[in-house]
Amino acid sequence: MKVMISIDPEVALTAMDVIHEMNSNGEKLELVGAGFGSLLVAMIATHGNLAKARRIFLTNRKKILEFFRWDLGLESLLKTMIASLMKKVSIVPFSRLKETVETLLGDGSLKGVEVMAFDLTRNTELHLKLGEHDINILCGSLARPPLFEPVLFEERLLCDLSYMVGIPEPGSFDLLIYGLKKPELNNKNAKALDFMEHGDRLRTFEISRRRLEKYPEVVKIT
């Protein structure tokens, strides 16, 4: 069974529990990750089994949730605008993203890990099978702008697919494990930039909603 995993970091443990239950029922799973799901799939592969990946996640949970905090908010958006004026392209440099990912993966091989990313240069979704040392490509699949800068790969600019379109087109996937939270906005305290960010996230959420209907089977995590 080909399983697409598209989740936010906050629900990663629940997603691993779903995978564990399916494994316990004798399902043979081929995992493909998008967004934070890419890192989850990579951790399972490099640590050799789901149980060890879960322990690593639990040990680093606070750090992971803070580092991959998708809700940028007004303050972070202002920092991004200032960074753009200074000819910077992200809040967090690529070196920090790569260092964090390497710490979570350990010394295991990435060979055969399947992830999806979005190519900003061609406006297309990419399904990529990683080689043993393709850490940069994995980082590209996690690079959610403007938090992280896109990653160059063979004249393509890779970024987090879940930021652009929420979830991939169904394609050959038999099952989707879905855990992207619906955007919310506190109108009482919202500023103009908050409304801009909220509108952008609603666009992505609406694309996801339409695509969800096309998947043959979906496990939603809230």
Side-chain angles (χ1 to χ4, degrees), residues 77-196:
L77 281 170
L78 287 172
K79 288 180 181 178
T80 302
M81 293 175 67
I82 294 170
S84 297
L85 291 173
M86 296 172 65
K87 298 188 182 301
K88 295 180 179 179
V89 294
S90 63
I91 298 171
V92 181
F94 172 73
S95 58
R96 279 194 60 205
L97 173 60
K98 185 174 182 179
E99 179 184 1
T100 300
V101 171
E102 286 177 332
T103 299
L104 295 171
L105 295 183
D107 299 323
S109 171
L110 287 169
K111 188 174 182 179
V113 171
E114 295 184 57
V115 302
M116 293 202 68
F118 194 87
D119 175 15
L120 289 168
T121 59
R122 295 170 176 81
N123 195 36
T124 56
E125 302 171 23
L126 297 177
H127 189 152
L128 303 163
K129 183 172 287 190
L130 306 186
E132 185 173 356
H133 304 294
D134 282 341
I135 183 73
N136 285 9
I137 299 176
L138 175 61
C139 288
S141 72
L142 293 162
R144 174 170 293 200
L147 186 60
F148 304 113
E149 61 185 298
V151 176
L152 184 64
F153 166 67
E154 295 181 352
E155 299 184 352
R156 301 171 183 266
L157 275 177
L158 305 184
C159 76
D160 178 358
L161 181 144
S162 64
Y163 175 78
M164 301 301 295
V165 292
I167 57 176
E169 286 283 8
S172 60
F173 302 115
D174 303 302
L175 171 70
L176 169 69
I177 297 178
Y178 175 82
L180 302 178
K181 59 183 177 181
K182 184 177 181 178
E184 297 179 354
L185 181 67
N186 183 347
N187 289 339
K188 183 178 180 181
N189 299 314
K191 303 292 189 289
L193 285 173
D194 295 315
F195 283 105
M196 289 172 60

Side-chain angles (χ1 to χ4, degrees), residues 14-25 29 50-51 54:
T14 306
M16 284 189 269
D17 290 341
V18 171
I19 296 169
H20 173 71
E21 183 177 350
M22 295 179 71
N23 284 332
S24 299
N25 291 334
L29 307 179
L50 181 62
R54 196 178 195 281

Side-chain angles (χ1 to χ4, degrees), residues 48-67:
N49 60 72
L50 181 62
K52 186 171 182 182
R54 196 178 195 281
R55 289 197 298 272
I56 297 297
F57 185 93
L58 276 171
T59 301
N60 296 278
R61 186 174 185 272
K62 183 177 179 180
K63 175 182 176 182
I64 291 171
L65 295 182
E66 289 177 354
F67 188 77

